[in-house]
Amino acid sequence: MAETEEKQSAGNIVLVTEGGSIPNPHEFRLINAWSLSLTLAIVSLFALCLIWPEPYLRILLYLPDGILVTFQITLMSICFAVPLGFLTGLGRISKNRFIKLVASTYVEIIRGIPLLVQLFYIYYALSRFVQISGITSAVVAISVCYGAYMGEVFRAGIAAIPRGQTEASRSLGFTRYQTMIYVILPQAMRTILPPVGNECIAMLKDTALVSIMAVPDIMQRARSFVGTTYLYFETYTVIALVYLIITLLLSKAVSIMEAKLNYYDTKSR
Amino acid sequence: MTQNPDNTPVISMRGVWKYFDSLPALQDINLDVQAKERVVIIGPSGSGKSTALRSINRLEEIDRGKIYVNGQDIMDKTNDINLIRHKLGMVFQQFNLFPHKTVLQNLTLAPIKLLGLDRSEAEDRAFALLKKVGISEKANVYPSMLSGGQQQRVAIARALAMQPEIMLFDEPTSALDPEMVGEVLNVMITLAEEGMTMICVTHEMGFAKTVADRVIFMDQGQIVEQGDPNALFDNPRHPRLKFFLNHIL
């Protein structure tokens, strides 16, 4: 009975939602989807800026402040969303029925409401009671939303560790808590980290939504540029390329981390 | 053993019942194991022999009855089950080595964290045990690099690193390729010769004959027959044991 459970969970299926596709770290050919996309994006951006510095270079130079804000919001959201997701994941596998119910209800509610609606709710709807700045609203909304998504990733990653690991640890005399710290989490990290990285990349893309609340991120800078110049095509072309380059680089970073985490298993892949 | 001068059993199961949903997995199990005794439990699959073994260190929670380890009631909340488990080494069918730790780290983790040994003490102990089970040269590799037989020997060494008084074996050779069964059984025979108290659930009748002081035959959650291995194998009394032996031998 326990045996079949182990076999099923050994599949390590972790739900991956949106986010950039993570390049396979064992893919060493020079031309692959990732390198081709990155090369095309960089070459296009440079070409546009060299051939028509007006307006393309001007648009690009208008953006750095926005890039900084985008990263700032993303990083702050990651700092809250990852611990929140971790706690949610633990809550969903808790033996305490109350904690489990709270965690599951949180996930159900948040997953059922679009992020844009959550943003508006915190920024506009709640303004009747509290005034929250655009950046704070953005970080709160994104953290709460992605905390729920990541809760699922953490739950699945922890559940994928065979029950025999817990039994071996408990039979040596480790407590439930020690078992989690020394045995389960170090192993679960390996399955958890790639999808969490993926969620973080998706998060960076979703920060574009905050431009609606006048937060000066990349997208908001573009909108204000367009507002004065009406250069829709040129501006949004540059914006798309900038987002693409950032997410491609980040997804490479995630895949490198993933490869490093595979140090102990010679049989995987 | 010092705490048992008057031959009180180190393990005592009294009227133990265990249900899986409404199905009784253990029905009124009574079993006393003395210090240094080697007990082998045999029986068809689903007979409750693994459940009985796993209930001794509370990996399975029993529903009725009492289990005492060194006189301590393991279901009593005032007795720390984690301390009781220090004295009960367990070896699993699927080895269950920690894949993210090297062989050496598998052996030192619990002694360092639970017994407070410092690293060099724990490693000395680990190397001595690896030598004993015959794989000292593999100390720094990860378990996935080892064969099943090697992994199971490491698992035995890992349990021994806590210096338990009693070893529980749950079908330790059932997941192994036939050519690797011998190397694991040899380690277990050495342990038995050194006077380790052992309870072993197994299908290895040869091992039962050579090592066991007492063989217990379980079927349908009950102890059906028990006794000296030669008597039990040569002169089975109960028809269910006769049937079982005819089919397995």
Side-chain angles (χ1 to χ4, degrees), chain A residues 165 167 170 182 187 264, chain B residues 54 85 97 99-100 142 144:
Chain A
Q165 290 293 309
E167 291 187 345
R170 295 305 306 275
Y182 298 130
Q187 294 181 58
Y264 59 79
Chain B
R54 290 159 54 86
R85 282 173 175 156
L97 291 177
H100 60 302
Y142 288 95
S144 60

Side-chain angles (χ1 to χ4, degrees), chain A residues 27-259:
Chain A
E27 167 76 75
F28 290 119
R29 267 172 302 180
L30 204 57
I31 297 176
N32 56 37
W34 179 83
S35 64
L36 193 62
S37 314
L38 186 66
T39 311
L40 281 178
I42 291 176
V43 167
S44 316
L45 193 60
F46 266 91
L48 289 173
C49 291
L50 283 175
I51 300 169
W52 299 286
E54 176 56 41
Y56 287 106
L57 190 58
R58 188 151 65 92
I59 298 169
L60 191 62
L61 293 177
Y62 190 72
L63 293 179
D65 293 352
I67 296 176
L68 218 62
V69 172
T70 294
F71 272 111
Q72 194 189 347
I73 295 173
T74 308
L75 278 178
M76 287 198 293
S77 303
I78 288 172
C79 289
F80 290 108
V82 171
L84 187 60
F86 177 59
L87 290 178
T88 308
L90 285 184
R92 297 208 26 157
I93 54 171
S94 171
K95 279 193 173 169
N96 182 320
R97 284 175 65 188
F98 177 73
I99 294 176
K100 192 173 179 168
L101 187 68
V102 170
S104 305
T105 308
Y106 159 61
V107 172
E108 285 300 326
I109 291 174
I110 296 304
R111 291 219 300 189
I113 303 173
L115 177 57
L116 187 59
V117 176
Q118 291 179 40
L119 272 169
F120 276 26
Y121 199 84
I122 291 173
Y123 189 61
Y124 294 114
L126 291 185
S127 68
R128 180 184 292 183
F129 312 104
V130 274
Q131 282 292 342
I132 307 172
S133 78
I135 287 198
T136 311
S137 308
V139 171
V140 169
I142 293 172
S143 302
V144 167
C145 182
Y146 275 88
Y149 295 160
M150 288 187 191
E152 280 309 277
V153 173
F154 278 102
R155 186 198 59 74
I158 292 168
I161 304 303
R163 219 174 55 153
Q165 290 293 309
T166 305
E167 291 187 345
S169 172
R170 295 305 306 275
S171 76
L172 287 166
F174 285 111
T175 61
R176 264 171 67 85
Y177 174 77
Q178 290 169 321
T179 298
M180 194 49 94
I181 299 294
Y182 298 130
V183 177
I184 305 301
L185 287 180
Q187 294 181 58
M189 275 309 140
R190 199 170 55 136
T191 40
I192 288 171
L193 200 93
V196 163
N198 216 349
E199 292 289 338
C200 290
I201 295 168
M203 197 187 262
L204 183 134
K205 291 189 296 176
D206 273 352
T207 58
L209 292 172
V210 306
S211 63
I212 300 171
M213 303 180 315
V215 175
D217 75 324
I218 301 178
M219 189 63 183
Q220 167 63 20
R221 298 288 284 174
R223 282 155 54 99
S224 73
F225 193 86
V226 164
T228 53
T229 61
Y230 301 101
L231 294 168
Y232 288 99
F233 177 81
E234 293 82 352
T235 307
Y236 289 122
T237 302
V238 172
I239 294 299
L241 290 172
V242 167
Y243 271 117
L244 184 58
I245 291 168
I246 292 174
T247 54
L248 284 171
L249 290 176
L250 287 178
S251 61
K252 188 65 176 180
V254 170
S255 85
I256 290 169
M257 265 195 287
E258 185 187 1

